[in-house]
Amino acid sequence: MTAFRDAALVLVVGLAVVAQSVIFRFVAVDGVVPNLALIVVVAAAISRGSQFAAVLGFATGLLLDLAPPADHVAGRWALALVVVGYLAGRVRQDARTSPVMAVGLVAAMSFVGTSVFALTGVVLDDGVLPVDLTIKVLLISVLWDVALAPFLVPGLVWLVDRLGSYGRTTGSLASTYRMP
Amino acid sequence: MARRNLGQGPTSDGSRRVLGLLVLAALTVITLDARTGDDSPLNPVRSAVGSVVGPVENATATVTRPISDLADYFTTNKSLRDDVATLSADNARLRNEVSTEPLDRKRLAELDSLTRTASETGYSLVAARVIALGPVQSFSRTVTIDAGTSAGLTKNMTVLNNDGLVGRVVQVTRSTATVLLIVDTESVVGGRLGTNSEIGFLRGRGTIGGAGRLDLELVDNAVAPSRDDVVVTWGSDNGVPYVAGIPIGKVESVVSSPRQSSRVAVIAPFVDFTALDVVGVVVPKGTQGDRTVITQGGSR
């Protein structure tokens, strides 16, 4: 059962990574697509806490770094999503109790994640855009994630809850969320 | 702060440790990949992931092609609109060109014959176009041409076109000039009959349409102008206001009443005043201006 749940999680993450580069390129605004992988990580953080989310963020980020369209230094998204997963997990109680907070959390994490990614790019001198353009990309990506969060976060939280609700200590918290 | 988190207090340190490890791992991956460049140890991993994710992406792209077509439909709608706008603008411009082509042809012919007039009469001409017709309300028949002092024009210059005498310049600004047409009631032109060189004065009647006529009063009452006799300008000193030898019109009829001491010949002007376009202004030889001066030897 654990193997199945892990496989399902990998599938969700993989789906997010593929979808954001294949499907959402049709609706890209100035080339910026919603960061579905980041939304998945935030949802996982809301559902299961910072430790789990950080690990999932690392894996998801690594997949983003290595999957075909990527041509940047590997590990940058991994680092960004680790930070996102950890931070999102720290404030998950607030995000659990109100959908507005959840959307706000996605917005904040989107900003943090993209910023961390951009900053590592600056440090590594890898794919750096001018500052004004970077800020524009940052804003569009935050708006994208905020626009999609209300539709995706509840479902993803529910899904991660389901996938992790067997015999885990954090699972009890998830069930209290669904039936307050 | 960590203590506040329900159910996370005991695991907080562990969580932090995990975070530290993960960040370290990420930094390691970054360093490995960034430092080694082309022969990065991550390249095999990259290609392995690519060989798994690539086909998935390919399949997804194939499956979502209808969506892409839909997106294409929306995104190209704007560019199609742009195309339509561009093409209709082009169309309008071309249609305009086609419709003005006879006019341009006519204008060219007028300019051409103006050049011929210059070479026949020996006068230097500045070509100009009629850009405005004086309103009838002001009770004078004037037109405005698009040449002024900058082209070397001054008051009292003769204006003609390829048919004959048009009038004279009465007002000049820098870029325009007002021409008093010979059909104006204020206009008096010295005329000479072509056949017997008898002189007289032509006065306009103030109408410019098909009925626009001039009255020629000959100095010598005894002379009877014959029908279809051509009247040309008489000319004067320095060609002011009219230079000599420009055809004005021909005799249409002769009116003579017993009460009047003189005969009046009705002259039909050669120039069609309602369709004035390109005109030439007779300027002194050697006039300098921002406009081409047509002379006997060509244009300069």
Side-chain angles (χ1 to χ4, degrees), chain A residues 18 21-23 25-26 50-51 54-55 58 62-63 65-69 72-76 78-79 82 86 89-90 93 124, chain B residues 2 5 8 12 15-16 18-19 22-23 25-27 29-30 33-34 42 45-46 49-50 53-54 57 60-61 64 68 71:
Chain A
V18 169
S21 62
V22 176
I23 300 174
R25 70 193 153 105
F26 303 128
S50 59
Q51 190 171 335
V55 175
F58 182 78
L62 217 52
L63 187 61
D65 286 327
L66 297 173
H72 52 264
V73 172
R76 285 174 60 192
L79 180 64
V82 164
Y86 181 77
R90 300 307 294 180
Q93 270 73 27
L124 294 167
Chain B
N5 291 335
Q8 222 179 337
S12 183
S15 169
R16 211 167 278 169
V18 167
L19 173 75
L22 288 172
V23 168
L27 289 176
V29 171
I30 290 174
D33 197 33
L42 280 161
V45 186
R46 216 187 282 261
V49 170
V53 178
E57 289 183 338
T60 315
T64 57
S68 89

Side-chain angles (χ1 to χ4, degrees), chain A residues 42-152:
Chain A
V42 173
I46 293 173
S47 166
R48 300 269 288 273
S50 59
Q51 190 171 335
F52 177 80
V55 175
L56 189 70
F58 182 78
T60 309
L62 217 52
L63 187 61
L64 268 181
D65 286 327
L66 297 173
D71 64 343
H72 52 264
V73 172
R76 285 174 60 192
W77 269 122
L79 180 64
L81 291 188
V82 164
V83 174
V84 163
Y86 181 77
L87 289 180
R90 300 307 294 180
V91 290
R92 65 182 178 132
Q93 270 73 27
D94 298 338
R96 268 200 170 279
T97 44
S98 108
V100 178
M101 277 300 292
V103 172
L105 183 65
V106 168
M109 288 308 120
S110 173
F111 182 79
V112 168
T114 315
S115 300
V116 169
F117 184 79
L119 284 175
T120 53
V122 171
V123 172
L124 294 167
D125 197 20
D126 177 35
V128 184
L129 289 177
V131 174
D132 54 339
L133 217 59
T134 306
I135 291 172
K136 197 177 126 197
V137 168
L138 213 72
L139 285 179
I140 296 175
S141 104
V142 168
L143 286 176
W144 253 132
D145 294 346
V146 167
L148 289 186
F151 306 101
L152 293 179

Side-chain angles (χ1 to χ4, degrees), chain A residues 16-41:
Chain A
V17 171
V18 169
Q20 87 182 43
S21 62
V22 176
I23 300 174
F24 277 90
R25 70 193 153 105
F26 303 128
V27 288
V29 175
D30 287 348
V32 181
V33 293
N35 201 336
L36 296 180
L38 185 136
I39 296 179
V40 168
V41 171

Side-chain angles (χ1 to χ4, degrees), chain B residues 116-156:
Chain B
R116 210 165 48 240
T117 308
S119 65
E120 278 169 9
T121 56
Y123 296 122
S124 298
L125 298 176
V126 166
R129 287 189 38 204
V130 172
I131 53 173
L133 190 69
V136 188
Q137 287 96 315
S138 58
F139 298 105
S140 68
R141 308 317 319 228
T142 54
V143 293
T144 307
I145 57 174
D146 63 352
T149 49
S150 64
L153 267 59
T154 56
K155 267 191 177 185
N156 288 328

Side-chain angles (χ1 to χ4, degrees), chain B residues 28-157:
Chain B
T28 311
V29 171
I30 290 174
T31 316
L32 265 179
D33 197 33
R35 279 294 160 90
T36 47
D38 279 345
D39 34 72
S40 159
L42 280 161
N43 277 350
V45 186
R46 216 187 282 261
S47 65
V49 170
S51 64
V52 174
V53 178
V56 175
E57 289 183 338
N58 212 352
T60 315
T62 312
V63 170
T64 57
R65 185 118 322 139
I67 302 174
S68 89
D69 291 347
L70 194 69
D72 272 357
Y73 171 75
F74 283 118
T75 48
T76 52
N77 202 2
K78 186 181 176 299
S79 70
L80 279 177
R81 274 174 207 282
D82 288 352
D83 282 356
V84 166
T86 316
L87 287 174
S88 15
D90 273 3
N91 222 348
R93 187 177 51 78
L94 290 172
R95 197 169 291 150
N96 187 26
E97 243 165 52
V98 167
S99 62
T100 56
E101 196 242 315
L103 197 65
D104 289 341
R105 210 178 273 276
K106 188 172 155 288
R107 200 165 284 157
L108 184 67
E110 285 182 9
L111 262 173
D112 193 40
S113 61
L114 207 60
T115 316
R116 210 165 48 240
T117 308
S119 65
E120 278 169 9
T121 56
Y123 296 122
S124 298
L125 298 176
V126 166
R129 287 189 38 204
V130 172
I131 53 173
L133 190 69
V136 188
Q137 287 96 315
S138 58
F139 298 105
S140 68
R141 308 317 319 228
T142 54
V143 293
T144 307
I145 57 174
D146 63 352
T149 49
S150 64
L153 267 59
T154 56
K155 267 191 177 185
N156 288 328
M157 280 181 165

Side-chain angles (χ1 to χ4, degrees), chain B residues 181-215:
Chain B
L181 302 181
I182 53 170
V183 287
D184 188 89
T185 47
E186 295 286 306
S187 169
V188 179
V189 186
R192 187 191 292 278
L193 281 172
T195 48
N196 51 18
S197 297
E198 286 293 328
I199 56 171
F201 296 96
L202 288 119
R203 286 188 174 80
R205 287 183 176 178
T207 51
I208 60 168
R213 294 290 180 270
L214 299 156
D215 291 326

